[in-house]
Amino acid sequence: MNQENDLQKRMLIFFVVVAVLMIGFSAVSSFFFSGGSKTGEKTEIAKKSQTVKEVKTPQNPPTSPEQAGKKAPQVLYTSGGSYNLILGSKRINADELKDLVSVKTDFGEVKISKIGGRIVSIYIDKYKVDIISDFSKRNRIFPAEIITTDPEITQLINFSRYDFRKEGDNLIFTLEKNGIKVEKKFVVEDSVFSLSIRTEGLEKLGLSIINGITLEEAGKVFGHSGAVIKTDKELIKIDPDIEREQVIRGNILWAGEENKYFIQMLATKTGFTATHVIPVAKGKTVVLSEIPTSIEGFFLGGPKLYSLLEKLTEKYKKEWGKDLSLQSTVDFGIFGILGKPLFIVLHFFYNYTHNWGVAIILLTVLIRIIFFPLNHKSLKAMKKMADLAPEIKKLQKKYKDDPQKLQQEMMKLYAEHGANPMSGCLPIIVQIPVFIALYNVLMVTVELKNAPFMLWITDLSSKDPYYILPVLMGLSMIAQQWITPSSDKNQKMIMYIMAAVFTFMFMNFPSGLVLYWLTNNILGLLQSYFINKKLGRYEKKQ
């Protein structure tokens, strides 16, 4: 065995390991880093023009209990301890979703039912999604419902028709019946609802409010789907596949349900002392929090836009003196320490370019500048290795029968000329965490969902539909190996094979990630060209 063959084996093993890491990353993330974990923990929210109207025709046709039973998962749980959700035919028959108040916003459209004063639809035009899931609509269970310890009173409050009036931006729903008064006041600003609830006649009952119901699935590999509860100490995430009710007690700042892109959550000025996470069907939970007879707060039902979450956090830090840390719901994964700053810089570039693809290119240039000294040193070392090829062949011929002596002499040769046989690996190793962090950013930030670049690239978070970027990336890797100094043709051949492997792997990667790697390769080509040219001229002068 000679040193050069050993080097080839090590390089091949290295790239195979990198390939396995990239292919297996999704599965590993899903198994170890999906929900169920506990983690500690400058856009102005301007008033938007709104059109409010009362709607008498249903968005969806009425659903009978029998139809609901066929479409929706079977209800397994109808009571949350002392809080009975009244799931079943009574709830379904109480509201045909016909008598609605519709509010047009810049985001889309919000619909609040006069039956119970409940939020029954939050449609976001940009993402073509309703934050209120089909499960919620079929089973008629919605955010902002008041659940009491008396099932009859719970039915009265949620299944009765409320009087509606509009005062300025305030949407006011009022119920006065059987000695009970409930007033719900909403101010809608896109997907954020300022919420005020006043009740009379319920002082002797335990009260709770529904913070959120399981959202539609948005992918199982990245991010968390399920209940999310923020206390003054930690962010608690609970998967939707629980079989028993979970009760969280303490100083709870807010609670709700999330998936990787969207969130339903409710916070009040005084916070909550207890939050219940109740399984209601397979993979479905309802989050409700215990409340006093009157509350002031807000409900957020919409995309987890980082700038919006940050603005809300700052707003209520000033108004309530509490750090809601809403940004922590964006899960940047195991390399979050890199993912978060990468996204912040990416967002900075987007604010100026208004194109996420261009922002990715600029971010790549910045990363390349940061790693320039390392890449520069590596390329110079590889050039030295290429220059030493004739000397290495002489040593191999001279000590072909003495491998130990050959290794000693080669190490001595490397030391004398400042060469490193593994110099080409270090830049790649260092950039792997950056690569994975950017992968997470592309997969969990809703800002990049449906974000176009140019021409055929209409969604940077999805794969290239025509595989043009992966092919270009593979060709750029081949070109990079062709121009990169190497002391062995066999080693170059290994690199060409790995270029083909990477091209195949990247075909199903987000196009934004492929764009990053392609841009990085092109910049590497330019750097190699200029370094080779500079070193070549220097040698001629000698």
Side-chain angles (χ1 to χ4, degrees):
M1 180 186 75
N2 60 47
Q3 184 72 12
E4 196 70 15
N5 288 333
D6 183 55
L7 173 60
Q8 292 174 25
K9 289 179 181 178
R10 282 185 286 169
M11 292 291 289
L12 179 59
I13 291 171
F14 167 75
F15 280 106
V16 169
V17 169
V18 171
V20 171
L21 281 173
M22 290 179 177
I23 294 171
F25 179 67
S26 296
V28 172
S29 295
S30 176
F31 188 78
F32 289 104
F33 302 105
S34 61
S37 62
K38 294 186 179 183
T39 58
E41 233 312 350
K42 298 233 173 171
T43 304
E44 184 70 26
I45 304 178
K47 286 199 171 185
K48 310 293 183 183
S49 58
Q50 299 175 352
T51 303
V52 181
K53 63 179 180 178
E54 298 183 40
V55 183
K56 294 297 182 182
T57 56
Q59 181 184 12
N60 299 311
T63 308
S64 68
E66 293 77 11
Q67 290 173 321
K70 291 178 181 178
K71 293 181 181 179
Q74 180 185 2
V75 172
L76 305 176
Y77 208 103
T78 58
S79 175
S82 56
Y83 292 104
N84 193 329
L85 297 173
I86 322 292
L87 295 176
S89 59
K90 286 184 179 180
R91 174 177 285 277
I92 294 170
N93 292 333
D95 190 353
E96 295 182 337
L97 301 181
K98 289 182 178 179
D99 200 358
L100 309 175
V101 175
S102 177
V103 183
K104 293 286 187 181
T105 73
D106 286 356
F107 268 32
E109 186 175 20
V110 171
K111 293 182 180 180
I112 303 174
S113 176
K114 291 183 182 178
I115 306 300
R118 304 174 299 172
I119 304 166
V120 300
S121 177
I122 308 171
Y123 189 81
I124 310 296
D125 288 335
K126 180 178 179 180
Y127 304 109
K128 297 178 175 59
V129 66
D130 198 329
I131 306 302
I132 307 300
S133 69
D134 288 341
F135 175 82
S136 288
K137 292 176 182 177
R138 286 195 292 262
N139 289 281
R140 305 296 196 267
I141 184 164
F142 301 107
E145 287 191 21
I146 298 172
I147 308 297
T148 77
T149 49
D150 185 331
E152 291 186 5
I153 301 300
T154 296
Q155 293 180 62
L156 176 69
I157 294 172
N158 295 295
F159 304 160
S160 298
R161 189 183 188 278
Y162 282 54
D163 294 324
F164 169 72
R165 70 183 189 275
K166 185 175 185 292
E167 295 180 358
D169 291 331
N170 293 289
L171 309 177
I172 302 172
F173 297 81
T174 307
L175 174 70
E176 292 189 54
K177 196 172 184 180
N178 298 349
I180 293 172
K181 181 177 180 179
V182 178
E183 181 187 81
K184 294 183 179 181
K185 186 185 297 183
F186 299 93
V187 178
V188 182
E189 296 177 354
D190 289 328
S191 57
V192 182
F193 299 66
S194 295
L195 174 64
S196 171
I197 296 179
R198 300 279 181 271
T199 69
E200 294 178 12
L202 302 177
E203 292 78 11
K204 295 182 180 180
L205 297 177
L207 304 180
S208 65
I209 189 168
I210 293 182
N211 304 72
I213 304 97
T214 297
L215 282 70
E216 301 290 359
E217 185 61 65
K220 297 181 180 180
V221 175
F222 294 90
H224 171 254
S225 292
V228 56
I229 301 99
K230 179 69 175 76
T231 73
D232 58 343
K233 296 179 180 178
E234 60 185 339
L235 183 69
I236 301 170
K237 298 185 178 185
I238 299 175
D239 286 349
D241 57 356
I242 58 173
E243 296 181 356
R244 295 180 180 275
E245 175 187 358
Q246 306 289 312
V247 181
I248 310 299
R249 300 187 185 278
N251 184 8
I252 299 168
L253 305 181
W254 56 265
E257 292 270 357
E258 67 171 356
N259 61 28
K260 69 176 180 178
Y261 289 137
F262 305 101
I263 189 170
Q264 293 177 12
M265 58 77 61
L266 191 144
T268 66
K269 189 173 183 178
T270 55
F272 310 114
T273 57
T275 292
H276 303 248
V277 182
I278 304 171
V280 293
K282 184 177 180 180
K284 308 291 181 183
T285 56
V286 173
V287 175
L288 55 91
S289 297
E290 297 178 15
I291 59 171
T293 54
S294 298
I295 61 170
E296 297 279 349
F298 74 93
F299 173 80
L300 170 62
K304 294 196 285 188
L305 295 167
Y306 196 86
S307 56
L308 173 62
L309 300 177
E310 188 175 47
K311 189 63 182 180
L312 286 172
T313 297
E314 290 302 315
K315 176 183 178 180
Y316 288 101
K317 188 182 290 183
K318 293 177 181 177
E319 293 183 9
W320 295 353
K322 295 180 178 180
D323 184 5
L324 301 182
S325 297
L326 292 169
Q327 311 96 301
S328 61
T329 60
V330 181
D331 185 3
F332 288 108
I334 56 176
F335 288 107
I337 194 171
L338 293 174
K340 183 176 177 180
L342 279 175
F343 176 72
I344 291 172
V345 174
L346 191 64
H347 204 291
F348 172 80
F349 288 137
Y350 173 78
N351 288 337
Y352 288 94
T353 63
H354 303 291
N355 184 301
W356 286 106
V358 175
I360 289 171
I361 292 172
L362 293 175
L363 176 65
T364 310
V365 172
L366 179 61
I367 293 172
R368 193 77 195 186
I369 291 171
I370 292 171
F371 286 122
F372 178 82
L374 180 63
N375 289 322
H376 185 75
K377 187 176 180 180
S378 172
L379 286 170
K380 288 179 69 175
M382 291 174 70
K383 182 68 168 61
K384 287 182 181 179
M385 285 293 298
D387 294 341
L388 290 176
E391 297 296 325
I392 292 173
K393 288 182 179 179
K394 288 179 182 179
L395 291 175
Q396 289 173 342
K397 187 176 180 179
K398 184 176 181 181
Y399 300 106
K400 62 180 179 180
D401 297 325
D402 190 350
Q404 185 175 354
K405 182 64 174 177
L406 173 62
Q407 185 173 357
Q408 290 175 354
E409 291 298 320
M410 288 182 70
M411 291 298 103
K412 182 180 177 181
L413 181 67
Y414 294 151
E416 288 174 354
H417 292 81
N420 182 357
M422 296 300 291
S423 56
C425 297
L426 186 58
I428 299 176
I429 294 173
V430 172
Q431 290 183 63
I432 286 175
V434 176
F435 176 86
I436 295 175
L438 185 60
Y439 191 5
N440 271 302
V441 167
L442 290 168
M443 296 304 292
V444 304
T445 52
V446 70
E447 286 88 345
L448 286 151
K449 179 177 171 62
N450 298 337
F453 172 40
M454 59 183 293
L455 302 176
W456 71 97
I457 303 297
T458 58
D459 184 359
L460 287 164
S461 67
S462 299
K463 69 179 183 179
D464 183 337
Y466 303 112
Y467 305 111
I468 295 173
L469 284 181
V471 171
L472 290 175
M473 187 216 67
L475 293 174
S476 71
M477 288 184 71
I478 291 172
Q480 195 170 32
Q481 295 307 322
W482 180 78
I483 198 172
T484 299
S486 175
S487 59
D488 192 334
K489 293 182 179 179
N490 292 331
Q491 184 175 320
K492 275 184 173 284
M493 184 56 64
I494 292 173
M495 300 299 188
Y496 293 148
I497 293 171
M498 291 314 301
V501 172
F502 272 49
T503 301
F504 178 77
M505 283 171 18
F506 274 65
M507 283 184 173
N508 290 313
F509 277 17
S511 55
L513 193 68
V514 184
L515 178 63
Y516 161 78
W517 203 262
L518 172 61
T519 306
N520 188 61
N521 286 349
I522 292 172
L523 294 173
L525 274 169
L526 293 173
Q527 187 177 359
S528 296
Y529 173 77
F530 286 113
I531 287 176
N532 288 340
K533 190 174 181 181
K534 180 180 178 182
L535 291 176
R537 283 204 299 260
Y538 174 78
E539 289 170 357
K540 287 178 183 179
K541 290 178 182 179
Q542 294 296 318

